[in-house]
Amino acid sequence: MLNYLWGAMLLIGVVYGALQGRLPEVTAAALDSAKEAVALCITMTGVMSLWVGLMEIAQQSGIIRQATRRIQPFVNFMFPGIPKGHKAREYISTNIIANIFGLGWAATPAGLKAMEALEELEEERRKSGGQQGLSRGRAGAAVPRGTASNEMCTFLIVNISSLQLIPVNVIAYRSQYGSVNPAAIVGPAIVATAVSTAAAVIYCKVKDRRRST
């Protein structure tokens, strides 16, 4: 859908430029934008490489493991249906920690692994069956294969609304485009993401309560 929207916007711009007799300006803008896009990609690749490397160092040094243990109360609160010691818990914790530090790209691999682990958990539940093992909807019927589980939906919501202490990506964008104080966004970002995270937690718990009734 987004591809159609972007394509329509580009087509409208070109047609409007042609009708206004400003095709040379449209061509120049396209070339300048292409050059700027390449420069931005190079900048963001460097930022991503730096922070992904730091995350790997933190992983190898045990910092992530310690931080994972510290946020287990939150993971237990948000994902009570995930068994203790399940690998999905580690991936979810790593994803949350990376997002808190604003490392969206570094959080993506852990997020994908978390979804895979949650899918495996749901498959295990379907195979085991029974009153406790079978994933069920509000009406008590088994959730069809291919349908996202409650844990998957909760993780997606928490991941999207994640609290960020240091919005690294936004700071890099602002620096690339000549901001006088790129880090000025830190305060507003903390407030905005804190509110979004609180809203996500409340929403998920309300839905859990309704689902269990």
Side-chain angles (χ1 to χ4, degrees):
M1 184 62 183
L2 287 178
N3 290 335
Y4 292 114
L5 290 175
W6 284 113
M9 291 172 63
L10 291 172
L11 183 60
I12 292 173
V14 172
V15 172
Y16 181 81
L19 293 177
Q20 295 295 319
R22 303 181 63 180
L23 276 181
E25 288 87 343
V26 173
T27 303
L31 294 176
D32 291 340
S33 298
K35 178 181 177 181
E36 185 176 329
V38 172
L40 180 61
C41 288
I42 293 174
T43 299
M44 298 309 294
T45 299
V47 174
M48 180 184 67
S49 300
L50 171 63
W51 286 104
V52 170
L54 290 176
M55 282 294 293
E56 184 64 24
I57 292 173
Q59 183 78 36
Q60 296 295 329
S61 63
I63 296 176
I64 297 298
R65 192 177 305 110
Q66 295 177 7
T68 298
R69 286 198 295 267
R70 291 182 180 276
I71 68 170
Q72 283 310 298
F74 176 76
V75 176
N76 293 335
F77 175 71
M78 294 301 301
F79 305 94
I82 301 179
K84 299 287 185 180
H86 195 275
K87 59 184 179 180
R89 286 178 170 268
E90 179 180 353
Y91 295 140
I92 290 173
S93 300
T94 302
N95 176 268
I96 292 175
I97 293 169
N99 276 323
I100 287 176
F101 288 103
L103 312 178
W105 286 322
T108 300
L112 294 176
K113 291 181 180 179
M115 279 297 186
E116 292 176 357
L118 291 174
E119 185 178 5
E120 293 175 4
L121 175 61
E122 190 66 17
E123 187 64 27
E124 292 172 3
R125 288 172 176 172
R126 291 192 181 94
K127 290 181 179 179
S128 62
Q131 185 66 25
Q132 296 180 349
L134 187 61
S135 175
R136 298 186 176 276
R138 288 182 60 187
V143 175
R145 185 183 300 274
T147 302
S149 67
N150 186 55
E151 289 85 2
M152 290 180 181
C153 295
T154 300
F155 174 64
L156 180 62
I157 294 172
V158 171
N159 181 69
I160 293 173
S161 64
S162 177
L163 171 68
Q164 288 191 11
L165 299 180
I166 308 175
V168 176
N169 294 343
V170 178
I171 292 175
Y173 284 130
R174 286 168 58 85
S175 177
Q176 174 69 19
Y177 289 106
S179 174
V180 177
N181 185 9
I185 194 68
V186 172
I190 292 176
V191 174
T193 55
V195 171
S196 66
T197 300
V201 171
I202 294 172
Y203 174 81
C204 290
K205 301 315 290 185
V206 169
K207 295 297 287 186
D208 281 344
R209 178 170 295 184
R210 289 183 178 178
R211 185 171 180 268
S212 61
T213 57

